Amino acid sequence: MFGSSGSRVLNVINISYIQSRSKRVWVRKPLGSPMAKSKIFRITPKPVLPEDEKAEIKRLFDNYKNSMKSIRHYFFEQSLKQAESGEVAQMKHRLEDQEHERLMEENRLENEKTAMLREERLKIQAEKTQQNVLASLIKKEGEAKLHEIQIEDFLTKQMSTPFIQAENIEKAIEDALANPVNFNFALDLNGYVYRGKDTSIDTIPEEKRERLNSN
């Protein structure tokens, strides 16, 4: 009567319960069965949770999300490490080695260029220093020669100056007594000099008066 479809329904119904001590104990309602008519219009009330319990549930859920995120990140990094050991990673390392060699060669050439420029600069500085030292030595030598000439001139003048000797000291004393020298002098407002202690202004004509040089 039911055919094959009817037998499947009977099989579903038959496996929906187990028999325990001659009693039928239902495990669950069959999957294809509709909702019971007594529960169609039943609205299940939403459970009301306290605020502290909500906060605790949220904290646990956040911890769970952070833990899962860390685990996923860890497995992702492990997968990248495993992938780097393959052919692509070897190619990448080979390219990095080539780039490193190129940079090292470029650095070596730049160092050689810098060393050459430094040597040229030091050579120029050494030449300038040598020239400055030579010029300084020539200048000092010239100053030394000029100083020697000045000393010789001074000694010559000192030697040419007459000195009182022991044999003519009496004659020098007589000459000094016969020709006394008075270093006293006076000045007027016009700048005229009147030498001597007892010199009278009226006895010297104006055209013969000595006047100080303004320079």
Side-chain angles (χ1 to χ4, degrees):
M1 178 179 180
F2 295 99
S4 60
S5 59
S7 61
R8 284 197 299 271
V9 174
L10 291 176
N11 291 331
V12 171
I13 295 174
N14 291 332
I15 64 174
S16 299
Y17 64 91
I18 59 175
Q19 187 170 358
S20 175
R21 294 182 181 179
S22 70
K23 293 183 179 180
R24 294 181 178 179
V25 180
W26 291 89
V27 179
R28 57 162 294 168
K29 184 176 66 173
L31 296 176
S33 301
M35 182 182 293
K37 293 181 180 181
S38 60
K39 297 181 180 180
I40 292 177
F41 300 103
R42 182 185 297 178
I43 299 176
T44 304
K46 185 176 180 181
V48 179
L49 298 177
E51 294 297 330
D52 53 351
E53 188 173 352
K54 288 183 180 179
E56 181 65 17
I57 292 174
K58 184 177 183 302
R59 185 186 68 81
L60 295 175
F61 183 67
D62 292 339
N63 293 338
Y64 169 76
K65 288 193 300 181
N66 293 332
S67 300
M68 294 303 296
K69 184 178 179 180
S70 300
I71 293 173
R72 285 195 298 269
H73 184 69
Y74 172 76
F75 283 122
F76 178 73
E77 289 183 349
Q78 294 296 325
S79 63
L80 289 180
K81 290 181 180 179
Q82 292 178 0
E84 288 181 355
S85 61
E87 184 178 357
V88 177
Q90 294 179 2
M91 177 64 70
K92 181 179 178 181
H93 290 312
R94 187 160 52 250
L95 293 177
E96 289 178 354
D97 293 339
Q98 292 177 359
E99 181 68 14
H100 178 70
E101 292 178 358
R102 186 186 67 82
L103 293 176
M104 291 295 292
E105 181 66 19
E106 184 177 353
N107 186 32
R108 185 185 64 79
L109 295 176
E110 187 66 22
N111 290 336
E112 291 180 356
K113 181 180 178 181
T114 305
M116 292 177 61
L117 294 176
R118 182 171 59 252
E119 290 178 358
E120 292 179 359
R121 184 177 68 255
L122 293 176
K123 184 178 179 180
I124 294 174
Q125 290 180 356
E127 292 178 355
K128 289 183 178 180
T129 303
Q130 185 178 2
Q131 293 176 359
N132 293 333
V133 171
L134 183 61
S136 178
L137 291 176
I138 294 174
K139 183 179 178 181
K140 288 183 178 180
E141 186 178 356
E143 292 176 353
K145 289 182 179 179
L146 180 62
H147 185 63
E148 291 178 0
I149 293 173
Q150 292 176 352
I151 292 175
E152 291 177 359
D153 293 340
F154 176 76
L155 292 177
T156 303
K157 290 180 181 179
Q158 292 294 325
M159 294 299 294
S160 62
T161 302
F163 291 95
I164 299 174
Q165 303 295 332
E167 57 271 11
N168 59 0
I169 187 171
E170 295 181 357
K171 184 177 182 303
I173 293 173
E174 292 176 357
D175 292 339
L177 294 175
N179 300 304
V181 179
N182 193 346
F183 294 99
N184 296 319
F185 65 93
L187 290 173
D188 60 6
L189 297 177
N190 296 323
Y192 290 103
V193 181
Y194 303 97
R195 299 187 181 277
K197 184 177 181 180
D198 300 327
T199 303
S200 177
I201 298 175
D202 299 332
T203 59
I204 301 175
E206 186 175 356
E207 62 273 7
K208 293 183 179 181
R209 295 177 183 176
E210 182 182 357
R211 193 167 187 174
L212 289 178
N213 190 0
S214 60
N215 296 331

